[in-house]
Amino acid sequence: MRWLCGIGACCFWGWFAGVIAAAGNTTLPMVADPDLRLTLIASDPDIVTPIGLAIDASGRLFVLESHTHEAAADYPGPDSDRIKVFADEDGDGDYESVTIFADGLVQGLTIAFSPAGDLYAVCARSVYRLPDRDQDGRCDGLQRIIDVKTKGRYSHNALLGITFDADGNLFLSRGNLGGQAYRVVGSDGTEVRGYGDGGNIMRSDADGGRLIEYATGFWNPFGIKFDSGGRLLCVDNDPDARGPNRLIHVVRGGDYGYRSLHGGSGTHPYQGWDGDPLSDPPGTLPYISGTGEAPCDLLDLSRTNFPTKYRDSLLVSVWTENTIEWHRLRPKGISITADVEPLIQGNADFRPVAFDVGPGGDVFFTDWVQVDYPNHGRGRIWRLSSTRTRTDAMLPGPMFGSRSSDKADDRFRKAAETIAESNQGIIDALSAADPFQNHLGVMQLAAPENSALRQKLAVSSNPKLRLVSLLASRRATLSPDQAMRVADGFLTDTSPIIRRAALIWAGEDRLVDLQDRIEDSIRPANTTPVLLETFLATTEILTSEFSEAFDRRVVKAKQLPRKDVGTLIRRIAWDSSIQPAVRAIAIRRLQPPLTDSTAERLIQTAHSTDHPAAMAAIGVLGKLTDPRSRECLMTIAMNASRSSELRCEALLMLASDPALDPKLLLSLLDDAQPSVAEEAARTLRGFVADPIVRAAAKRRLESTLVSPDAIMRQFAMALGRPAGDRPDDLDGWLQYAALGGDPAAGRRVFLSNHATCAKCHSLSGRDDTLGPDLSRIALSVDRAQLIRSVLDPSADFAPQYQAWTILTADGQVVTGLQIDQKAGGAIEIMSTEGVMRRIEGEDVEDYQASRRSVMPSGLEQNLTAKEFRDLIAFLASRK
């Protein structure tokens, strides 16, 4: 199942037929399984903004109530977060007793019980143990055991989740901290530190000592739990352009792909997300299954009293999409995968967050209720239980019945034991198709005692074995000189995947002495586009200036100084010894202002028979304003011997040229190539103010000899007339655009002045834009979700794209995306005009979150129905 990331989503399953318990006048979410019942346990004002939940052995509900989560200045609640205890004193199913267990917490995120029975609380920058030794129902005090030292302020990308294994080890998840340097300090002074890496999962003892990094490469892994097989699982929110959100099997030493050093889109060539061996950096592990937008927590259902069909399955709470998903697990190699179905679907005021299971096997979860991130005074707690006693029901399992995290389930444990027995075991694991077996083999191969085997595999005739030798060498304890020599040897490997891994090694480990050697990696004939992008990215950071700034760590990692690679890009663009598809990427990277000689080369390339390079050159020429560029584009557009794709691309570029004489294009309305005629009409639609163009448009519309085709609809739109049959509601659009469409034409619609998509969204994965990058949007959503997102972007949207409005002291109103809140109340906001604004605290008169997305509605009104369908087809192809 694929989900929308960033530009908004609204999921609906018409087949839902829920059996739901009545609870006053509350609109209850729908439950897909009649064997399950949903009951409202508590609601505001008894509980507000409940973000964490843990249940003790006696069945009491401990609920972390947030009051410091971006609270407004006039927020009437307490000045700190607190933990409430809900108790069913008489066993009738009603939780009539509500007491305060702890307060004084700030930016609390979650809570959990340890095997010893102590409650722990995670706040954005600290972990606390909250013992109640005298059993009086009130914690004895906040014992801080782990701290984060960082300049980062945002609460949702620091410390996030907590869980325990059966041995009492504490596992703690951390978000990406926006690229700020950090130190996580344990109670005994042990540290995990980093800068520019991804979020990580750490392990310590129950006192917060012996802190280590367990796995890395996450964005914001909010929820972490163990399943009944002893596997550590987490749900990870996605970068802005790299969906879907992920359910992940976390293994020691695992790398799951994300690096904050390279920005928030997740599409940088050093970043991975899917564990795809062909597209992601080598060594990146895959996820179990995709989830909806903003997953918050997960729960192993083997501890419940649910029917046996729920054995070996999980629940995942999906905050943005008002959903609780059912993930049915099944083996995949020595790990698992999952089939995903919606189990509970609510309306816009259903925001499930945290799960736990009571001693009797019922599931309880918290509900943030409203989409607003700031504290808003709403909240609910729900119970999900079996409707009747069944012979096939599961028996509730113990809270800490799983094995130690390092031993996990039998298949994983046995594989690890076999690998450790012999060199052949290592080689078999490294040769396997299963990435988790590969990972275990790499971990074993990195051990000091296996250095000779690493060297042997480095010269193997099998490229996979050479690759894992490289990956193991990166993990091994090597001196800088040793690391440089080993990496250097792989830069000229015959495999482009291995050369890419060597480039990433050189860049991430800042092997600056290799900067004169890395160009050798793109010389072989099998150079791929992703290898070129990786080479350019390495060139940008493999400098002494970058390395020295990295060591100082005084700015966000993505703000570190990078080398200008413009000269290098121009050299690659005109190097005929490099493959055309690779050269085309370099050509697209050329940006104005350009020298006369570069402009002339672009013109020559546009007229060449090298199709990929010609397409790229046309795109760059469209950004230039000199007459020679316009003349070249016009010549290509009018030349019937050129391909329709090149001619349409030239017309697209001409459409944004204010100096264009549109009358020169009128003859193309009768072109033999239909796509050219349609693109000419779309271009001329922007010039209907010209009397001659307007007259021609009217003649075409009024002619009885011409049927209403795509050209007619273009002119009808321009003249304000009905543009043919158009769907008039959401269902109509869903049916019309569910299939078909021309992705190539849709790309031109996306880039056109009429659609305005490109004003806020990038397709490159490299640009900072108001909205998310859409270069991989089809990995996150299906066509129906795309259609809904364009038609009603505010129906549901990722919280980071919530519009904010600032009223300044001098009466200005600024609307846009909140980027950061600074000391003294200063606010940085990206306005809807695409301008970064900083409003000082003393100049802010009022500041409010909107219930709407920054993406405007009504965009389809500027498009013909065919254009809309083509646009959806294009976005659905972005993988």
Side-chain angles (χ1 to χ4, degrees):
M1 187 180 296
R2 297 298 187 180
W3 303 88
L4 181 62
C5 155
I7 63 174
C10 178
C11 300
F12 176 79
W13 299 275
W15 53 267
F16 266 144
V19 175
I20 313 168
N25 295 321
T26 302
T27 301
L28 295 180
M30 293 183 291
V31 183
D33 186 351
D35 290 335
L36 300 177
R37 175 190 293 114
L38 190 63
T39 308
L40 185 63
I41 295 300
S43 62
D44 51 84
D46 292 331
I47 187 68
V48 299
T49 51
I51 196 169
L53 171 68
I55 302 176
D56 71 3
S58 66
R60 294 181 300 170
L61 311 183
F62 288 69
V63 185
L64 175 59
E65 190 177 66
S66 173
H67 294 281
T68 62
H69 193 282
E70 300 181 9
D74 58 351
Y75 178 66
D79 58 5
S80 70
D81 299 342
R82 58 191 184 183
I83 297 173
K84 286 184 173 180
V85 180
F86 290 76
D88 178 6
E89 302 287 358
D90 53 12
D92 64 352
D94 294 329
Y95 288 76
E96 56 277 330
S97 169
V98 183
T99 58
I100 304 296
F101 178 75
D103 54 18
L105 302 166
V106 176
Q107 291 186 335
L109 274 301
T110 193
I111 54 178
F113 279 104
S114 72
D118 287 331
L119 187 66
Y120 288 68
V122 175
C123 297
R125 287 160 197 82
S126 297
V127 178
Y128 296 93
R129 181 165 50 192
L130 312 175
D132 179 15
R133 302 302 184 208
D134 56 8
Q135 297 293 305
D136 65 349
R138 178 81 182 185
C139 84
D140 302 333
L142 307 182
Q143 298 179 359
R144 190 165 60 193
I145 60 171
I146 297 175
D147 276 320
V148 177
K149 310 296 184 182
T150 181
K151 293 181 180 179
R153 295 187 183 89
Y154 187 51
S155 61
H156 268 199
N157 60 14
L159 297 183
L160 298 172
I162 187 173
T163 194
F164 294 85
D165 70 7
D167 297 332
N169 294 306
L170 182 158
F171 288 79
L172 178 67
S173 63
R174 175 192 63 82
N176 64 78
L177 282 169
Q180 296 280 13
Y182 68 90
R183 292 189 302 126
V184 183
V185 184
S187 58
D188 60 355
T190 52
E191 291 188 358
V192 172
R193 60 171 63 199
Y195 181 48
D197 54 343
N200 60 13
I201 289 176
M202 297 163 283
R203 189 180 74 182
S204 75
D205 59 30
D207 295 324
R210 297 187 299 147
L211 185 71
I212 63 167
E213 180 176 85
Y214 194 76
T216 189
F218 307 96
W219 171 260
N220 280 333
F222 197 90
I224 56 174
K225 294 272 177 66
F226 281 92
D227 72 358
S228 58
R231 288 175 290 251
L232 178 60
L233 308 177
C234 82
V235 284
D236 190 19
N237 286 265
D238 59 331
D240 296 342
R242 192 68 186 263
N245 297 262
R246 308 181 292 182
L247 171 64
I248 293 173
H249 177 193
V250 182
V251 297
R252 184 168 187 173
D255 182 352
Y256 296 87
Y258 178 74
R259 306 281 188 274
S260 63
L261 176 66
H262 308 297
S265 73
T267 56
H268 187 279
Y270 276 33
Q271 294 173 335
W273 196 250
D274 308 313
D276 185 336
L278 297 180
S279 62
D280 281 0
T284 304
L285 289 172
Y287 57 82
I288 297 169
S289 51
T291 79
E293 176 66 29
C296 294
D297 201 7
L298 67 149
L299 183 72
D300 176 22
L301 290 176
S302 66
R303 291 176 51 207
T304 69
N305 59 6
F306 289 6
T308 55
K309 66 182 178 182
Y310 289 101
R311 183 175 288 122
D312 298 323
S313 64
L314 310 169
L315 295 185
V316 172
S317 57
V318 182
W319 193 89
T320 294
E321 295 179 6
N322 324 109
T323 306
I324 291 178
E325 298 172 345
W326 178 26
H327 291 244
R328 291 177 290 121
L329 306 179
R330 50 189 172 84
K332 184 178 182 182
I334 60 171
S335 183
I336 48 176
T337 186
D339 300 310
V340 187
E341 298 178 23
L343 184 66
I344 303 176
Q345 176 68 50
N347 61 15
D349 281 342
F350 178 63
R351 304 283 168 176
V353 183
F355 292 114
D356 206 355
V357 180
D362 290 345
V363 171
F364 295 79
F365 62 92
T366 63
D367 181 357
W368 191 265
V369 179
Q370 292 186 355
V371 70
D372 301 6
Y373 258 20
N375 296 123
H376 47 64
R378 299 294 309 281
R380 294 183 294 207
I381 304 172
W382 300 92
R383 175 171 57 205
L384 184 65
S385 56
S386 181
T387 57
R388 57 186 180 271
T389 302
R390 296 176 55 95
T391 58
D392 67 341
M394 296 184 293
L395 295 176
M399 185 181 302
F400 298 100
S402 60
R403 295 184 178 90
S404 168
S405 57
D406 282 340
K407 296 178 182 176
D409 67 297
D410 288 340
R411 285 173 295 112
F412 203 93
R413 176 178 54 80
K414 289 177 180 177
E417 292 172 352
T418 300
I419 291 167
E421 288 175 355
S422 66
N423 283 355
Q424 189 57 50
I426 296 175
I427 293 174
D428 289 345
L430 298 174
S431 304
D434 182 356
F436 284 89
Q437 286 202 59
N438 297 162
H439 171 73
L440 288 175
V442 167
M443 293 284 285
Q444 189 69 29
L445 187 60
E449 62 270 21
N450 291 319
S451 60
L453 181 59
R454 284 199 307 272
Q455 295 173 29
K456 178 181 177 181
L457 297 183
V459 294
S460 169
S461 60
N462 184 337
K464 186 169 186 180
L465 293 179
R466 298 199 304 274
L467 175 61
V468 293
S469 174
L470 182 156
L471 297 175
S473 296
R474 280 202 66 184
R475 289 180 178 272
T477 304
L478 303 179
S479 69
D481 286 344
Q482 288 175 320
M484 187 183 67
R485 285 196 300 272
V486 176
D488 188 12
F490 286 111
L491 284 171
T492 54
D493 193 277
T494 56
S495 165
I497 294 176
I498 293 175
R499 300 201 300 275
R500 183 187 182 196
L503 286 169
I504 294 174
W505 184 1
E508 287 191 333
D509 288 22
R510 294 175 288 133
L511 306 178
V512 178
D513 289 343
L514 291 179
Q515 58 186 321
D516 295 331
R517 297 275 294 122
I518 62 173
E519 192 167 337
D520 292 341
S521 66
I522 62 167
R523 286 293 162 196
N526 63 351
T527 292
T528 61
V530 71
L531 179 59
L532 175 65
E533 290 286 3
T534 306
F535 162 70
L536 293 173
T538 302
T539 303
E540 288 176 341
I541 65 174
L542 199 58
T543 67
S544 57
E545 292 79 11
F546 180 92
S547 184
E548 291 166 3
F550 187 97
D551 289 337
R552 290 195 298 270
R553 304 186 176 196
V554 295
V555 298
K556 292 182 179 179
K558 65 180 180 180
Q559 298 171 340
L560 291 170
R562 274 130 170 112
K563 179 180 179 180
D564 183 356
V565 294
T567 300
L568 179 60
I569 288 172
R570 289 191 293 274
R571 179 154 56 82
I572 295 171
W574 314 130
D575 189 340
S576 59
S577 69
I578 294 177
Q579 295 184 78
V582 176
R583 289 181 58 215
I585 294 173
I587 291 171
R588 289 191 187 96
R589 294 277 295 269
L590 298 173
Q591 296 292 328
L594 301 175
T595 64
D596 287 344
S597 61
T598 299
E600 186 59 39
R601 281 187 177 241
L602 285 169
I603 291 171
Q604 293 172 6
T605 304
H607 286 302
S608 75
T609 57
D610 184 340
H611 183 83
M615 279 286 289
I618 289 170
V620 180
L621 287 170
K623 301 175 184 178
L624 307 182
T625 58
D626 63 275
R628 292 180 304 161
S629 299
R630 188 181 311 118
E631 179 183 355
C632 173
L633 296 173
M634 183 64 73
T635 300
I636 292 171
M638 303 299 291
N639 188 347
S641 67
R642 301 304 299 270
S643 73
S644 61
E645 188 178 17
L646 289 173
R647 297 177 70 195
C648 287
E649 190 74 5
L651 285 167
L652 175 64
M653 296 301 107
L654 288 168
S656 58
D657 186 350
L660 173 68
D661 181 356
K663 296 182 288 296
L664 299 175
L665 302 179
L666 288 173
S667 63
L668 294 181
L669 296 174
D670 299 308
D671 197 88
Q673 296 175 332
S675 60
V676 172
E678 182 180 353
E679 195 63 40
R682 185 159 35 240
T683 301
L684 288 168
R685 178 173 145 193
F687 293 91
V688 291
D690 184 293
I692 296 178
V693 175
R694 191 176 187 86
K698 287 183 176 180
R699 283 196 302 272
R700 298 288 294 231
L701 282 173
E702 294 164 0
S703 171
T704 58
L705 302 178
V706 181
S707 61
D709 57 10
I711 296 174
M712 302 304 101
R713 288 190 287 270
Q714 291 286 348
F715 286 147
M717 291 288 290
L719 297 172
R721 301 184 184 184
D725 294 334
R726 291 169 61 86
D728 55 9
D729 59 18
L730 175 61
D731 289 341
W733 282 110
L734 285 168
Q735 183 176 0
Y736 174 79
L739 298 171
D742 179 354
R747 172 184 167 274
R748 295 191 292 272
V749 173
F750 181 95
L751 297 171
S752 72
N753 297 329
H754 310 305
T756 69
C757 303
K759 177 181 178 182
C760 297
H761 297 285
S762 168
L763 297 173
S764 67
R766 297 183 62 86
D767 301 331
D768 290 328
T769 51
L770 183 65
D773 181 282
L774 302 182
S775 57
R776 293 172 179 257
I777 186 64
L779 292 175
S780 305
V781 299
D782 58 26
R783 287 179 73 128
Q785 291 170 301
L786 287 168
I787 293 166
R788 290 188 179 98
S789 301
V790 176
L791 294 175
D792 191 3
S794 293
D796 210 349
F797 54 91
Q800 66 264 38
Y801 295 106
Q802 182 176 49
W804 289 77
T805 299
I806 301 173
L807 174 64
T808 67
D810 59 1
Q812 295 183 56
V813 177
V814 182
T815 300
L817 289 182
Q818 173 187 289
I819 302 300
D820 201 1
Q821 290 182 312
K822 300 294 186 181
I827 299 169
E828 288 184 353
I829 189 168
M830 175 69 77
S831 74
T832 50
E833 290 77 31
V835 178
M836 182 67 76
R837 297 278 305 272
R838 178 186 172 103
I839 313 294
E840 298 301 332
E842 62 268 21
D843 296 327
V844 177
E845 184 72 20
D846 194 16
Y847 181 45
Q848 294 185 358
S850 169
R851 294 296 295 264
R852 303 190 65 80
S853 164
V854 290
M855 180 173 170
S857 58
L859 294 180
E860 77 283 0
Q861 299 301 321
N862 298 324
L863 306 177
T864 69
K866 180 180 182 301
E867 284 179 317
F868 183 88
R869 182 165 58 188
D870 289 343
L871 175 63
I872 296 300
F874 168 66
L875 293 173
S877 72
R878 300 298 297 173
K879 298 181 181 180

